[in-house]
Amino acid sequence: MSFVEGHVTAVASRLDSLQLAGLSPEDENEVTDRAKSLQLEAAGLSVRNKLTARNIVDLLADANLSHHGIQGSSSALEQSLEWSVVAKAALRTYELVLHSLLARTVITNEEILYWRSVRTSNRYTGLYLVQKAPLLLWSDTIQAVTHVNEGSVGLQSLWQRFYRIAREVARPKPFKLMRNTVVGPINIAREEIEQKERKLEHVRQRDAAILGGLVSDCFTFASGPEAAAEWGYHILQSLSTTHTLLNESKSLERSSSDIEAMLENRSREVYVTSTTSHGITPLKVSKKIFEILLDAHPGFSSRSNGSVSKNSRPSVLVRYWLPGVIGLFSSTTILRILFNRKEAIVTWIRDFGSVAKDFWFSWVVEPTKKLIGTIRHDKNSQLSVASKKSLEGDQASLERMVVDFVVDNPAGPSLGESEIADIKAKVHDGDLTHILKAYEKELKSPLYGSVMGNLIRTLLIQIQKTKVDVEVAMGGIDSLLKSQEPLFGNIDRIIFRSKKRGDTMGYEEFGSLVHESTILRDMAEHALPKMKFQEFLDDMDELMDRRVGVENQRDVLRRIRWAYAAEF
């Protein structure tokens, strides 16, 4: 279950409890045909079903909602079911918007990282120029033809300009000037890349602010006695906030700071008017849902996706036109080479099976075995080998302790070199059978064993063994923690950036936290045992509570890092 699904399921559960609180047992006896129809519509809008915007609109339209409010002439059961239908439809609309924002955030982040890698490398920037060369040539050609057709440039004038440019190019130039000629286009390309990167970052920050506002401020219900009477108003208010954010953000000029200011203003309005929920009907709520699904969300998504697409990496055709052209023109030569070396090629094909088999076992099977061995602490795993090297002194000391004890307390004839070597090998693998047998014997008379026997000595040897095991385990946990440091580092950086702005996390930072936490949640679902994953979700819910403050969120992150990261 993803973060959005978990969040929406929790809200749906809260809504169901509020609805049941306002329904009396007598209402259940008033089951009419319309009530049955509304029950079917509500079931179709359940969070268990995968729905598109069109599905939600159709189901809501089929409900044929009335103009009655809570005190209308319809039966109490029908009124309750109408509210159930619009509440579920509102929640599915909310889920659809959250999924859309998160999906675009993932794509936008990938494109930003792509352009950043191109911009920071002269080689990749030059390759980008080569990839765009046909488009630039085509654009210049179109402009030249347009100027000629418009008569702005005569044919003789155009020829004279071409001759002057060609003579300038053929003139010998110093190395510095030639270098500037080459570097100049690279700098121009880098400026173009930076502009694309800035536009994508603008979309990412704006979407993060909207996402943070929706998760933080929408569909949050009071817990007091007034909650059962006010939840319909809160649904309409949440939908209004969603509609306003999407509708006002259709303009790509809106920044994340504009979104945050808008959310702050609306939160103050909610505080002032949250006691006046009269006159709200299911029909009014459904109209707001239609406005979001049919106008605000499609328009917002279309403009945002268009901006991301316009500033994303070049198409596959643009990126790989040069290898394609080279392959096309050299196809005859390639075919000739293949024909002349057909015997070698046949031999290569015959050997391909064995090569593929070796590759599979060397690069897939063996690394997988080593990974499993690391988790199970196999004696051949690289992590264990590294730990043993770092603990060589403690391990050797333990072996000497056990050997000396066995020599001092022989169970039979004196031990030879082969028996001592065998004991060392067993201790190396964690086998302390000789010590445990002596320990069990001494426990039968603990007082005598402590004073006259070997009870204290066997205890000290076991303490040394525990020390070795703990240090090896800590080394493994440390290595596993390092593999997750980048993800935890991103979350920690988001929280730290918010702390510099105030005690409460800003909407943009909170939206970024939602994105990073979604990735962490998906990883934990596959890495943690089922019971421990439920505990992890409780901690994640606390981390995602914007109201607790930045400092508390940072403490929760530290607890999550040390409690669960070793399991990933």
Side-chain angles (χ1 to χ4, degrees):
M1 182 183 293
S2 67
F3 165 77
V4 172
E5 291 169 348
H7 178 65
V8 170
T9 300
V11 175
S13 178
R14 174 65 176 153
L15 270 174
D16 290 341
S17 64
L18 290 174
Q19 254 191 306
L20 289 174
L23 191 64
S24 63
E26 293 79 10
D27 296 335
E28 298 180 2
N29 299 324
E30 303 175 2
V31 181
T32 61
D33 291 339
R34 173 162 171 73
K36 293 178 181 179
S37 175
L38 290 171
Q39 286 177 337
L40 291 176
E41 301 299 335
L45 290 165
S46 169
V47 294
R48 294 188 298 271
N49 300 329
K50 300 292 183 182
L51 299 178
T52 63
R54 176 49 58 184
N55 296 143
I56 299 172
V57 169
D58 291 342
L59 286 169
L60 199 55
D62 292 342
N64 193 22
L65 300 174
S66 65
H67 292 271
H68 302 299
I70 296 177
Q71 303 296 329
S73 58
S74 298
S75 68
L77 180 61
E78 289 182 9
Q79 294 171 21
S80 176
L81 288 172
E82 285 187 356
W83 274 109
S84 178
V85 169
V86 295
K88 291 180 183 296
L91 204 53
R92 299 313 301 270
T93 302
Y94 177 63
E95 180 184 15
L96 191 72
V97 173
L98 291 182
H99 271 305
S100 173
L101 288 168
L102 268 177
R104 187 166 50 251
T105 300
V106 172
I107 296 173
T108 307
N109 279 336
E110 291 176 353
E111 297 303 319
I112 290 173
L113 292 176
Y114 172 82
W115 286 123
R116 191 170 298 165
S117 65
V118 174
R119 175 174 55 82
T120 55
S121 171
N122 286 334
R123 181 177 62 181
Y124 288 157
T125 306
L127 180 61
Y128 172 68
L129 274 175
V130 174
Q131 293 171 346
K132 284 195 60 181
L135 295 177
L136 295 175
L137 180 62
W138 175 256
S139 177
D140 292 342
T141 303
I142 293 296
Q143 289 182 4
V145 170
T146 302
H147 284 309
V148 170
N149 291 337
E150 291 176 353
S152 59
V153 180
L155 187 59
Q156 182 178 2
S157 175
L158 192 63
W159 174 254
Q160 289 175 352
R161 183 183 302 174
F162 172 77
Y163 178 74
R164 186 169 58 254
I165 293 173
R167 186 174 58 183
E168 183 67 24
V169 170
R171 182 182 302 168
K173 299 178 179 64
F175 175 76
K176 183 176 181 180
L177 184 59
M178 292 178 64
R179 180 180 178 277
N180 291 338
T181 304
V182 175
V183 175
I186 291 180
N187 288 334
I188 294 174
R190 186 169 284 122
E191 290 178 2
E192 179 183 344
I193 292 171
E194 288 177 352
Q195 185 177 8
K196 290 178 177 290
E197 197 175 336
R198 283 194 299 270
K199 290 181 178 179
L200 289 170
E201 184 66 26
H202 173 81
V203 173
R204 189 200 67 78
Q205 291 176 351
R206 187 202 59 189
D207 284 355
I210 296 174
L211 180 63
L214 293 179
V215 174
S216 175
D217 293 357
C218 293
F219 290 91
T220 56
F221 303 100
S223 56
E226 72 281 359
E230 297 288 338
W231 64 269
Y233 169 78
H234 286 296
I235 288 179
L236 181 59
Q237 190 65 42
S238 298
L239 291 172
S240 299
T241 300
T242 304
H243 180 268
T244 301
L245 288 174
L246 298 179
N247 207 39
E248 293 295 327
S249 301
K250 287 181 182 180
S251 172
L252 297 178
E253 301 301 322
R254 289 283 188 181
S255 64
S256 59
S257 58
D258 296 333
I259 300 299
E260 295 211 9
M262 193 185 310
L263 285 165
E264 292 292 344
N265 291 334
R266 289 195 68 83
S267 65
R268 285 193 290 270
E269 292 174 5
V270 170
Y271 178 77
V272 172
T273 61
S274 61
T275 57
T276 56
S277 58
H278 305 292
I280 299 175
T281 65
L283 185 62
K284 183 180 293 186
V285 176
S286 68
K287 287 181 179 179
K288 186 62 68 175
I289 295 174
F290 288 146
E291 289 175 4
I292 293 174
L293 293 178
L294 299 178
D295 178 45
H297 184 251
F300 170 76
S301 296
S302 176
R303 287 178 178 270
S304 299
N305 293 336
S307 178
V308 173
S309 177
K310 183 179 179 181
N311 295 285
S312 62
R313 69 191 71 186
S315 65
V316 175
L317 181 62
V318 173
R319 295 204 304 271
Y320 297 105
W321 72 266
L322 185 57
V325 170
I326 294 174
L328 180 63
F329 282 101
S330 60
S331 57
T332 305
T333 304
I334 293 173
L335 290 174
R336 190 182 301 114
I337 293 173
L338 292 177
F339 182 78
N340 293 335
R341 299 188 178 183
K342 60 182 180 180
E343 294 180 359
I345 293 173
V346 171
T347 304
W348 179 84
I349 293 174
R350 288 174 180 172
D351 295 338
F352 178 76
S354 61
V355 173
K357 182 179 178 181
D358 293 340
F359 176 85
W360 173 258
F361 279 98
S362 300
W363 293 92
V364 178
V365 176
E366 289 301 324
T368 304
K369 287 182 178 179
K370 290 178 180 179
L371 178 60
I372 296 173
T374 295
I375 298 171
R376 299 177 58 189
H377 202 68
D378 196 315
K379 64 180 180 180
N380 295 321
S381 70
Q382 293 182 357
L383 186 64
S384 297
V385 171
S387 300
K388 290 173 184 176
K389 288 181 179 178
S390 64
L391 299 172
E392 185 176 353
D394 288 336
Q395 184 70 43
S397 176
L398 178 62
E399 293 173 8
R400 288 193 298 270
M401 288 181 181
V402 176
V403 170
D404 290 344
F405 180 84
V406 175
V407 170
D408 294 341
N409 301 275
S414 60
L415 301 176
E417 293 294 331
S418 60
E419 288 85 356
I420 292 176
D422 183 57
I423 292 172
K424 286 185 177 181
K426 289 182 178 180
V427 174
H428 194 272
D429 292 336
D431 186 358
L432 295 182
T433 302
H434 295 85
I435 304 299
L436 293 176
K437 285 182 178 180
Y439 178 69
E440 293 168 2
K441 181 180 178 181
E442 295 293 340
L443 279 179
K444 294 178 180 179
S445 302
L447 185 59
Y448 177 83
S450 301
V451 178
M452 304 296 295
N454 295 310
L455 182 60
I456 302 299
R457 189 175 179 183
T458 55
L459 279 173
L460 292 175
I461 292 174
Q462 291 182 70
I463 291 173
Q464 178 69 10
K465 174 65 168 58
T466 303
K467 177 185 176 184
V468 171
D469 289 343
V470 169
E471 290 186 3
V472 170
M474 289 303 296
I477 291 173
D478 183 65
S479 298
L480 291 172
L481 277 172
K482 289 179 180 177
S483 65
Q484 303 303 325
E485 279 301 317
L487 182 57
F488 284 110
N490 285 342
I491 298 177
D492 196 39
R493 186 161 48 249
I494 292 169
I495 296 177
F496 180 76
R497 189 168 66 239
S498 298
K499 182 171 176 55
K500 294 195 296 184
R501 295 180 52 179
D503 294 333
T504 304
M505 184 174 289
Y507 290 105
E508 179 195 335
E509 287 83 3
F510 185 67
S512 299
L513 178 65
V514 170
H515 173 250
E516 297 291 340
S517 299
T518 301
I519 299 174
L520 184 60
R521 182 191 179 110
D522 293 340
M523 293 173 59
E525 187 173 9
H526 296 89
L528 294 176
K530 189 172 182 179
M531 295 300 296
K532 200 156 190 174
F533 178 65
Q534 294 302 320
E535 298 175 5
F536 175 83
L537 292 183
D538 293 338
D539 287 328
M540 288 300 297
D541 289 341
E542 190 174 348
L543 176 66
M544 300 302 296
D545 190 352
R546 179 171 171 264
R547 297 167 296 181
V548 301
V550 175
E551 196 60 43
N552 289 332
Q553 287 176 300
R554 199 165 191 178
D555 291 340
V556 173
L557 177 62
R558 292 194 191 101
R559 186 173 72 240
I560 291 174
R561 174 180 291 176
W562 294 113
Y564 303 102
E567 303 283 349
F568 294 165

